[in-house]
């Protein structure tokens, strides 16, 4: 009897243990056509609704699975969905899945679509730790484009992004200046600019200008999300640009890449990197040195950039990343021209005493933790320690001699942004995705302006103040700008059915900006004598909090066409920094107000018969109290200056389109290995000031907005040889809100005429180790300019570079 009871007890205990045991379902997801691993595929176990995503090698693992029968569903946009029934009994299950490729919408890139594209693609609905469903997005994959990366040539790198107006300040790509949809391109100030998801601008609140541009040779891809990005990344009207840097290869302990470039006007670029994976550590180190004499006299530059990153995979769920970036450069600036000078000789220099120096240091610590199979946490701690120094004469086009002005900024910023991504299901076959986050940002800028130390005849790069400047109330000003920002945000993808998704979102902002210091307000007579001077001390604090919202829609009309729409509110705070500028060419309304408004998109993207990829959209940006510039003058002086103020309400309406077609497949059939892409990128924008009380600029066009931007060309890809020809046309644009067509003597105001420019680049791979690249920038040697500067690097017209030749040798081991 005792033996029977013992046996029954052991049987019951075993049954209980089996019921209490949990197991794991794991495997690998690959492409059926080529057998390649598929990263970021969604793997769900139903009906438990537990979902995970595959890693870079296509592997997945679902843990804590109880015994029972399940459906394993694998979804990857661009591939046919896979569903398999599995039974978990008394051990872990290994289930490999092979997905069949299909033509699908570009918003969610399939392996097949990605290979056909020549560097242009889009973010997926859920990509990494962000939600991009229903949003206009573009991704530039650097390794898949044939352009001059050594010069960071923005005109070539961003050729497949519609609606971008690009200012060309120098021939080395030192400072990026792009604006989208009619927004001011100056130092990317209308975009939230990030590297690997964290801020890199001088001050995200008080001075959102970027003096640092990551080297193209160190980048994996560039991600651009338009105005609807305001809900996740900040309230800017332009959206976000995120530079995603390279990582070490995960298939070897090391890989060394060396690229050496020589070019016109003494151009030399040396970029070198090493990266790899050793056990749980992934590492990447990059160094670039760039120097040259420039197309114009007095245009020498010397740039050094270092990027270091390492990731420790502590467990299968937890990874820790540390990153550091250093950039420094010294640039000799030849100054701007007026219209007569440009028409006479666009290569001439008007300044031999103007210099610009930047030191930029970025650091970040990133935590990625998979709390549960359907819950992911990401936290980024970041900091910026930098300074920017400008030395020279910016009051006139021609240097009149005398003391130079020295301006110095020191930036000290830090912050944290943390996010949670939760995939869940409410009795629905289509899982939902919820993103929530928190952000804290602290910025501090110390700005000083005064006379340089080297007296009236100084020409060297001596960045220091004269002793008299520190006590001369006319020439010296000093400000500090502390800024604080707290944000909370949330977005959710409600997948109503297999075709329709609704994506609402909210963002709460608290912004505190301060300005403490003094500057000088003075008036000159016609002879240039100061007849009035007042020292103005300021201690300003502006504290505001608000909530913005938005909603997006995504509809899969078919397997190869997706419709998307969104509308979201935007907000841009004024820059107190600008209000301390001491520059007769540039003044700011002391009662300047923040800009508010909204942006909206309606578009369609997809592919046709696996030969044509397209993205066409309508957009609008509506501003209340749009900040702009008008031409003004003092009653006591004949000199004119740009006056920055709230002009009125403005509205930008436009059409953006991008299309590419593989002509070679039309000629030789779908299985042709050679590819010949014809691409076209077109935008039309109408931007006007509306409902203004001032007749001088009511119904006038907004400045810096070309009505038409067209970029087109051809890309040829053979087995070892790639080549790209690009043609760009940009229509004329005004530089002030009154739409003045009569140029001023200082070259600051007037039309920027329409221009066109051509480039050609080619790559040839001798072996996997050795390759060579060549490019010709501005093939037709057109003389043109893209901007009129009111300060550095001017003032006046900044000519674009003439025709230049470049040759690159690459060694990859």
């Amino acid at each position: 009897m005792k033996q029977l009871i013992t046996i029954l007890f052991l049987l019951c205990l075993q049954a209980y243990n089996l019921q209490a045991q949990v197991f794991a379902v794991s495997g690998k997801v690959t492409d059926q056509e080529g057998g390649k691993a598929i990263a970021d595929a969604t793997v769900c176990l139903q009906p438990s609704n537990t979902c995970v995503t595959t890693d870079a090698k296509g592997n997945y693992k679902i843990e804590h699975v109880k015994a029972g029968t399940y459906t394993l569903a694998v979804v990857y946009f661009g591939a046919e969905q896979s569903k398999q029934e599995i039974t978990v009994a008394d051990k872990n299950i290994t289930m490999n899945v092979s997905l069949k490729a299909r033509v699908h919408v570009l918003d969610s890139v399939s392996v097949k679509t990605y290979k056909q594209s020549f560097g242009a693609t889009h973010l997926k609905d859920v990509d990494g730790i962000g939600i991009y469903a229903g949003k206009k997005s573009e991704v530039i994959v650097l390794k898949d484009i044939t352009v001059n990366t050594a010069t960071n040539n923005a005109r070539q790198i961003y050729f497949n992004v519609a609606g971008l107006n690009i200012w060309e300040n120098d021939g080395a790509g030192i400072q990026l200046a792009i604006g989208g949809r009619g927004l001011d391109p100056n130092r990317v100030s209308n975009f939230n600019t990030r590297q690997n998801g964290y801020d890199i601008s001088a001050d995200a609140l008080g001075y959102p200008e970027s003096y640092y541009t990551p080297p193209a040779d160190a980048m994996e891809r560039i991600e651009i999300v338009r105005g609807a990005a305001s809900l996740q990344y900040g309230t800017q009207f332009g959206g976000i640009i995120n530079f995603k840097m390279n990582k070490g290869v995960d298939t070897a302990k090391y890989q060394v890449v060396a690229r050496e470039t020589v070019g016109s006007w003494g151009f030399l670029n040396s970029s070198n990197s090493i990266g790899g994976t050793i056990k749980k550590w992934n590492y990447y180190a990059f160094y670039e040195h760039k120097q040259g004499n420039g197309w114009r006299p007095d245009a020498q530059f010397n740039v050094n950039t270092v990027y270091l990153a390492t990731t420790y995979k502590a467990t299968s769920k937890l990874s820790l990343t540390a990153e550091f970036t250093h950039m420094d450069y010294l640039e000799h600036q030849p100054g701007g021209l007026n219209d007569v000078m440009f028409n006479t000789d666009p290569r001439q220099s008007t300044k031999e005493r103007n210099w610009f120096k930047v030191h930029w240091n970025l650091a970040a610590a990133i935590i990625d933790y998979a709390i549960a199979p359907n819950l992911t946490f990401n936290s980024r701690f970041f900091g910026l320690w930098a300074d920017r120094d400008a030395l020279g004469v910016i009051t006139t086009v021609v240097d009149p001699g005398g003391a130079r002005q020295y301006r110095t900024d020191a930036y000290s910023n830090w912050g944290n942004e943390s996010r949670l991504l939760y995939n869940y299901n409410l009795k629905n076959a289509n899982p939902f995705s919820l993103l929530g986050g928190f952000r804290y940002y602290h910025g501090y800028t110390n700005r000083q302006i005064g006379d340089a130390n080297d007296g009236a005849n100084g020409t060297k790069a001596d960045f220091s103040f004269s002793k008299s400047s520190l006590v001369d109330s006319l020439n010296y000003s000093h400000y500090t700008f502390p800024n604080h920002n707290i944000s909370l945000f949330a977005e959710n993808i409600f997948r109503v059915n297999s075709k329709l998704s609704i994506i609402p979102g909210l963002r709460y902002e608290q912004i505190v900006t301060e300005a403490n210091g003094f500057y000088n307000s003075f008036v000159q007579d016609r002879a240039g004598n100061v007849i009035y001077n007042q020292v103005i001390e300021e201690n300003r604090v502006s504290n505001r909090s608000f909530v913005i919202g938005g909603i997006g829609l995504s509809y899969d009309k078919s397997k190869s066409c997706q419709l998307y729409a969104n509308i979201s509110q935007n907000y841009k705070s004024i820059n107190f920094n600008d209000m301390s500028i001491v520059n007769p060419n540039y003044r700011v309304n002391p009662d300047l107000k923040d800009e508010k408004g909204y942006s909206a998109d309606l578009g369609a993207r997809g592919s046709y018969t696996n030969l044509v990829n397209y993205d066409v959209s309508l957009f609008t940006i509506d501003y209340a109290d749009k900040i702009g510039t008008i031409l003004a003058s003092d009653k006591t002086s004949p000199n004119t200056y740009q006056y920055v103020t709230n002009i009125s309400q403005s509205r930008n309406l436009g059409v953006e389109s991008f299309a590419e077609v593989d002509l070679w497949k039309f000629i030789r059939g779908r299985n042709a290995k050679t590819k010949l892409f014809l691409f076209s990128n077109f935008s039309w924008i109408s931007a006007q000031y509306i409902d203004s009380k001032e007749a001088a600029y009511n119904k006038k066009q907004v400045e810096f907005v070309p009505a038409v931007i067209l970029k087109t060309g051809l890309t040829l890809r053979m087995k070892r040889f790639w080549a790209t020809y690009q043609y760009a046309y940009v229509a004329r644009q005004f530089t002030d809100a009154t739409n003045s067509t009569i140029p001023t003597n200082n070259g600051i105001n007037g039309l920027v005429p329409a221009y066109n420019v051509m480039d050609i680049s080619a790559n040839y791979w001798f072996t996997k180790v050795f390759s060579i690249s060549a490019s010709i920038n501005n093939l037709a040697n057109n003389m043109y300019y893209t901007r009129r500067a009111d300060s550095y690097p001017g003032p006046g017209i900044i000519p674009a570079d003439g025709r230049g030749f470049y040759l690159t040798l690459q060694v990859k081991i």
Side-chain angles (χ1 to χ4, degrees), residues 114 117-121 139-149 153-161 216-217 219-222 259 658 660 679 715-717 722-724 726 761-763 765 773:
Y114 181 89
S117 172
F118 62 97
T121 183
V139 176
I140 303 167
V141 183
L142 273 299
K143 68 180 181 63
D144 286 345
I145 58 177
T146 308
V147 299
N148 189 340
T149 57
N153 191 314
R155 184 178 68 241
Q156 297 179 23
I157 292 173
Y158 296 86
F159 69 92
N160 56 11
V161 181
D217 284 338
M219 288 190 284
E220 175 191 334
R221 63 181 188 175
I222 303 170
R259 290 175 57 85
F658 172 78
E660 61 175 357
F679 63 87
T715 289
L716 172 67
R717 287 187 176 180
W722 289 11
T724 295
Q726 297 180 24
S761 302
N763 296 336
W765 288 266
S773 304

Side-chain angles (χ1 to χ4, degrees), residues 647-658:
I647 302 292
S648 71
Q649 182 182 0
S650 72
R651 183 170 297 145
N652 297 12
L653 298 171
V655 178
E656 294 175 337
S657 68
F658 172 78

Side-chain angles (χ1 to χ4, degrees), residues 599-621:
S599 58
D601 293 293
L602 175 63
R605 55 194 171 203
S607 58
Y608 177 71
T609 67
N610 204 24
L611 297 175
V612 180
N613 295 323
Y614 64 89
D615 189 338
V616 182
S617 62
L618 305 173
F619 71 87
T620 182
I621 299 177

Side-chain angles (χ1 to χ4, degrees), residues 25 43 100 145 220 248 324 497 530 629 686 692-693 745 768:
V25 178
V43 183
K100 181 180 180 181
I145 58 177
E220 175 191 334
F324 175 75
N497 51 46
V530 176
T629 59
S686 173
S692 174
K693 297 179 181 179
N745 292 331
K768 291 182 179 180

Side-chain angles (χ1 to χ4, degrees), residues 679 712-716 723-727 757-761 779:
F679 63 87
T712 187
L714 290 168
T715 289
L716 172 67
T724 295
Y725 162 80
Q726 297 180 24
Y727 170 85
V757 60
M758 295 182 289
D759 304 296
I760 188 168
S761 302
L779 184 63

